[in-house]
Amino acid sequence: MLLHMSDGFATRAIHAGQEADPTTGSVIVPIHATSTYAQDGVGGMRSGYEYSRTGNPTRTALERCLAELENGRHARAYASGMAASDAVLRSLLRPGDHLVIPDDAYGGTFRLIDKVLTGWGISYTPAPVSDVDAVRAAIQDNTKVVWLETPTNPLLNLGDIAALAQVSADAGVKLVVDNTFASPYLQQPLELGATAVVHSTTKYLGGHSDVVGGAAITSDDALAEQLAFLQNGAGAVPGPFDAFLTLRGLKTLSVRMERHSANAERVVAALSGHPKVAKVLYPGLPDHPGHEVAAKQMKHFGGMVSFIHADGEQAALDVCSRTRLFTLAESLGGVESLIEHPGRMTHASTAGSMLQVPADLVRLSVGIEEADDLVEDLLTALG
Ligand SMILES: *Cc1c(COP(=O)(O)O)cnc(C)c1O
């Protein structure tokens, strides 16, 4: 093993699971574009690999690296963040079981639970992630999972992972944290008592808006076995090129997250107090209700910023179509800055439900361009 126990995050991101190829010396893990593997006689596997749905060396390298970065014993990569969430939920829940979800959960997660899993006998109760007592009160006799996102999307509410892990443990329930918004560079939920972490690797982990993927990480051996079983049994696996792109993204995660966070702070400073901005939502602001929790469990406050336009919905829509560098698009976590209107775009499906977002809200995924250019772009678009 190349790595020492004491090696830091950035070192592990670049080297974990990524030893030089033993046959060629290739410094970078090759894209193993193969569906199957030669066997030494019937049932005699040369390499431990037999079929690429079950296992592929490029995917294995990615999974080993992801496990290292979240301080987990096991990781499994999936074709998307939703496939990873589905695998975790179907590993932990059976018909008749119940789970607690954030009352502002990611829309796709809400849809999976509300529209798919309820058809298989699963029930759920929404609770605000920032209210530990409310989450405790939502746990029932048949609850098996507390699902947490922190910070949440797009309102950037904070959940206290350690406190919610304690509440879950007291009730004999497993805490699962969707760590997509923070990334393991900023926040490591397994260290704070979560049973499992899921990611949309599409976002900060891939980091370049060029691949869709997901992952689940845990140190719970029984859960890991279920995740591996479903990865192969249901088959929502990433291809080797997707695994390669994600692994390449991970190498720069630490420097990107530093810059995303620093640029977001510059953007927040420019928006705060601006006459066209009624309110900035960012956990780094001292008046943000989750500021103390964020300061306790996150290394920096991240690259996601939302704000309420002072002049209402049409003005919010206008800003979204007037930026030069901030591209009007869904998704987040790439090197390029994005702007969007959650009410009409990412969260349109929540209209009329309890997850509905304010119509005058604008969400920014602050990229790693020059901060001065990003600030100028926003100030010009605000007019
Ligand atoms: C994007 C996202 C997902 C879903 O991931 P996909 O890769 O798009 O399937 C889940 N959770 C959060 C917080 C996300 O932002």
Short mmCIF file of all heavy atoms in Angstrom, two decimals, residues 122-150:
data_model
loop_
_atom_site.label_atom_id
_atom_site.label_comp_id
_atom_site.label_asym_id
_atom_site.label_seq_id
_atom_site.Cartn_x
_atom_site.Cartn_y
_atom_site.Cartn_z
N ILE A 122 -43.52 1.59 1.51
CA ILE A 122 -42.69 2.44 2.40
C ILE A 122 -43.48 3.73 2.68
O ILE A 122 -44.07 4.30 1.78
CB ILE A 122 -41.36 2.82 1.70
CG1 ILE A 122 -40.60 1.58 1.21
CG2 ILE A 122 -40.50 3.69 2.60
CD1 ILE A 122 -40.15 0.65 2.29
N SER A 123 -43.46 4.19 3.93
CA SER A 123 -44.08 5.48 4.25
C SER A 123 -43.01 6.43 4.79
O SER A 123 -41.93 6.00 5.19
CB SER A 123 -45.21 5.30 5.26
OG SER A 123 -44.71 4.73 6.45
N TYR A 124 -43.34 7.73 4.79
CA TYR A 124 -42.34 8.71 5.21
C TYR A 124 -43.01 9.89 5.90
O TYR A 124 -44.20 10.15 5.71
CB TYR A 124 -41.53 9.21 4.01
CG TYR A 124 -42.33 10.05 3.04
CD1 TYR A 124 -42.39 11.43 3.20
CD2 TYR A 124 -43.05 9.47 2.02
CE1 TYR A 124 -43.16 12.21 2.34
CE2 TYR A 124 -43.81 10.23 1.15
CZ TYR A 124 -43.87 11.60 1.31
OH TYR A 124 -44.63 12.37 0.46
N THR A 125 -42.21 10.60 6.70
CA THR A 125 -42.65 11.84 7.33
C THR A 125 -41.59 12.90 7.08
O THR A 125 -40.41 12.67 7.37
CB THR A 125 -42.81 11.65 8.86
OG1 THR A 125 -43.72 10.59 9.10
CG2 THR A 125 -43.30 12.92 9.53
N PRO A 126 -41.97 14.07 6.53
CA PRO A 126 -41.00 15.15 6.37
C PRO A 126 -40.80 15.91 7.69
O PRO A 126 -41.75 16.10 8.45
CB PRO A 126 -41.65 16.08 5.34
CG PRO A 126 -42.94 15.43 4.94
CD PRO A 126 -43.30 14.43 5.97
N ALA A 127 -39.56 16.34 7.93
CA ALA A 127 -39.26 17.15 9.12
C ALA A 127 -38.16 18.14 8.75
O ALA A 127 -37.32 17.84 7.90
CB ALA A 127 -38.82 16.27 10.28
N PRO A 128 -38.15 19.32 9.38
CA PRO A 128 -37.09 20.29 9.07
C PRO A 128 -35.74 19.82 9.63
O PRO A 128 -35.66 19.48 10.81
CB PRO A 128 -37.56 21.58 9.77
CG PRO A 128 -38.60 21.16 10.76
CD PRO A 128 -39.14 19.84 10.34
N VAL A 129 -34.71 19.82 8.79
CA VAL A 129 -33.40 19.30 9.23
C VAL A 129 -32.78 20.13 10.35
O VAL A 129 -31.96 19.63 11.12
CB VAL A 129 -32.39 19.21 8.06
CG1 VAL A 129 -32.88 18.27 6.98
CG2 VAL A 129 -32.05 20.58 7.49
N SER A 130 -33.17 21.40 10.42
CA SER A 130 -32.55 22.28 11.41
C SER A 130 -33.16 22.11 12.80
O SER A 130 -32.69 22.71 13.77
CB SER A 130 -32.70 23.74 10.96
OG SER A 130 -34.07 24.02 10.76
N ASP A 131 -34.20 21.29 12.93
CA ASP A 131 -34.92 21.15 14.21
C ASP A 131 -34.77 19.71 14.71
O ASP A 131 -35.52 18.81 14.31
CB ASP A 131 -36.39 21.51 13.97
CG ASP A 131 -37.20 21.54 15.26
OD1 ASP A 131 -36.76 20.94 16.26
OD2 ASP A 131 -38.30 22.12 15.24
N VAL A 132 -33.79 19.49 15.60
CA VAL A 132 -33.49 18.15 16.10
C VAL A 132 -34.71 17.54 16.79
O VAL A 132 -35.01 16.35 16.60
CB VAL A 132 -32.28 18.19 17.07
CG1 VAL A 132 -32.01 16.81 17.67
CG2 VAL A 132 -31.03 18.68 16.33
N ASP A 133 -35.44 18.35 17.56
CA ASP A 133 -36.62 17.83 18.26
C ASP A 133 -37.71 17.39 17.29
O ASP A 133 -38.39 16.39 17.52
CB ASP A 133 -37.19 18.89 19.22
CG ASP A 133 -36.23 19.16 20.37
OD1 ASP A 133 -35.45 18.23 20.72
OD2 ASP A 133 -36.23 20.28 20.90
N ALA A 134 -37.86 18.14 16.20
CA ALA A 134 -38.87 17.78 15.21
C ALA A 134 -38.52 16.45 14.53
O ALA A 134 -39.39 15.63 14.25
CB ALA A 134 -39.01 18.88 14.17
N VAL A 135 -37.22 16.24 14.27
CA VAL A 135 -36.79 14.97 13.66
C VAL A 135 -37.04 13.83 14.65
O VAL A 135 -37.59 12.78 14.29
CB VAL A 135 -35.31 15.02 13.23
CG1 VAL A 135 -34.83 13.66 12.78
CG2 VAL A 135 -35.11 16.06 12.13
N ARG A 136 -36.70 14.06 15.92
CA ARG A 136 -36.93 13.03 16.94
C ARG A 136 -38.42 12.69 17.02
O ARG A 136 -38.80 11.51 17.06
CB ARG A 136 -36.43 13.52 18.31
CG ARG A 136 -36.48 12.42 19.38
CD ARG A 136 -36.19 12.93 20.79
NE ARG A 136 -34.80 13.31 20.98
CZ ARG A 136 -34.35 14.54 21.16
NH1 ARG A 136 -35.21 15.56 21.17
NH2 ARG A 136 -33.08 14.79 21.34
N ALA A 137 -39.26 13.71 16.98
CA ALA A 137 -40.71 13.50 17.10
C ALA A 137 -41.28 12.77 15.88
O ALA A 137 -42.32 12.11 15.97
CB ALA A 137 -41.42 14.84 17.28
N ALA A 138 -40.60 12.87 14.74
CA ALA A 138 -41.11 12.23 13.51
C ALA A 138 -40.76 10.74 13.45
O ALA A 138 -41.28 10.01 12.62
CB ALA A 138 -40.54 12.95 12.29
N ILE A 139 -39.88 10.28 14.35
CA ILE A 139 -39.48 8.86 14.36
C ILE A 139 -40.60 8.04 14.99
O ILE A 139 -41.10 8.37 16.07
CB ILE A 139 -38.15 8.68 15.12
CG1 ILE A 139 -37.02 9.38 14.36
CG2 ILE A 139 -37.83 7.19 15.30
CD1 ILE A 139 -35.67 9.36 15.06
N GLN A 140 -41.01 6.96 14.28
CA GLN A 140 -42.08 6.08 14.75
C GLN A 140 -41.50 4.70 15.08
O GLN A 140 -40.33 4.44 14.83
CB GLN A 140 -43.13 5.90 13.64
CG GLN A 140 -43.59 7.16 12.98
CD GLN A 140 -44.52 6.91 11.79
OE1 GLN A 140 -45.12 7.85 11.31
NE2 GLN A 140 -44.62 5.68 11.31
N ASP A 141 -42.37 3.81 15.57
CA ASP A 141 -41.92 2.45 15.90
C ASP A 141 -41.34 1.72 14.69
O ASP A 141 -40.44 0.90 14.83
CB ASP A 141 -43.11 1.62 16.44
CG ASP A 141 -43.51 2.09 17.84
OD1 ASP A 141 -42.72 2.83 18.45
OD2 ASP A 141 -44.60 1.72 18.29
N ASN A 142 -41.91 2.00 13.49
CA ASN A 142 -41.45 1.28 12.29
C ASN A 142 -40.44 2.09 11.47
O ASN A 142 -40.14 1.74 10.33
CB ASN A 142 -42.65 0.88 11.41
CG ASN A 142 -43.45 2.10 10.94
OD1 ASN A 142 -43.38 3.17 11.55
ND2 ASN A 142 -44.22 1.93 9.88
N THR A 143 -39.89 3.16 12.06
CA THR A 143 -38.88 3.96 11.34
C THR A 143 -37.56 3.20 11.30
O THR A 143 -37.11 2.67 12.32
CB THR A 143 -38.68 5.33 12.04
OG1 THR A 143 -39.93 6.00 12.11
CG2 THR A 143 -37.68 6.19 11.26
N LYS A 144 -36.93 3.15 10.12
CA LYS A 144 -35.65 2.47 9.99
C LYS A 144 -34.53 3.42 9.56
O LYS A 144 -33.35 3.12 9.74
CB LYS A 144 -35.76 1.33 8.95
CG LYS A 144 -36.70 0.21 9.36
CD LYS A 144 -36.07 -0.67 10.43
CE LYS A 144 -37.08 -1.44 11.26
NZ LYS A 144 -38.06 -2.19 10.50
N VAL A 145 -34.91 4.57 8.96
CA VAL A 145 -33.91 5.47 8.39
C VAL A 145 -34.28 6.92 8.68
O VAL A 145 -35.46 7.30 8.57
CB VAL A 145 -33.82 5.28 6.85
CG1 VAL A 145 -32.98 6.38 6.20
CG2 VAL A 145 -33.26 3.91 6.49
N VAL A 146 -33.29 7.72 9.08
CA VAL A 146 -33.42 9.18 9.02
C VAL A 146 -32.52 9.63 7.86
O VAL A 146 -31.33 9.31 7.83
CB VAL A 146 -32.99 9.86 10.34
CG1 VAL A 146 -32.90 11.38 10.16
CG2 VAL A 146 -33.97 9.52 11.45
N TRP A 147 -33.13 10.31 6.90
CA TRP A 147 -32.40 10.77 5.70
C TRP A 147 -32.11 12.25 5.89
O TRP A 147 -33.01 13.03 6.19
CB TRP A 147 -33.27 10.57 4.46
CG TRP A 147 -32.56 10.84 3.17
CD1 TRP A 147 -32.42 12.03 2.53
CD2 TRP A 147 -31.89 9.87 2.36
NE1 TRP A 147 -31.70 11.87 1.37
CE2 TRP A 147 -31.36 10.55 1.23
CE3 TRP A 147 -31.67 8.48 2.47
CZ2 TRP A 147 -30.64 9.90 0.23
CZ3 TRP A 147 -30.96 7.85 1.47
CH2 TRP A 147 -30.45 8.55 0.37
N LEU A 148 -30.86 12.63 5.71
CA LEU A 148 -30.46 14.03 5.95
C LEU A 148 -29.71 14.58 4.75
O LEU A 148 -28.90 13.88 4.14
CB LEU A 148 -29.56 14.08 7.20
CG LEU A 148 -28.93 15.43 7.55
CD1 LEU A 148 -29.99 16.46 7.89
CD2 LEU A 148 -27.97 15.26 8.72
N GLU A 149 -30.00 15.84 4.42
CA GLU A 149 -29.14 16.61 3.54
C GLU A 149 -28.71 17.83 4.33
O GLU A 149 -29.54 18.42 5.02
CB GLU A 149 -29.92 17.15 2.33
CG GLU A 149 -30.19 16.17 1.24
CD GLU A 149 -31.12 16.80 0.19
OE1 GLU A 149 -30.93 17.98 -0.18
OE2 GLU A 149 -32.03 16.09 -0.23
N THR A 150 -27.46 18.22 4.22
CA THR A 150 -27.02 19.46 4.86
C THR A 150 -25.74 19.94 4.17
O THR A 150 -24.82 19.15 4.01
CB THR A 150 -26.82 19.30 6.37
OG1 THR A 150 -26.36 20.54 6.90
CG2 THR A 150 -25.83 18.20 6.77
#
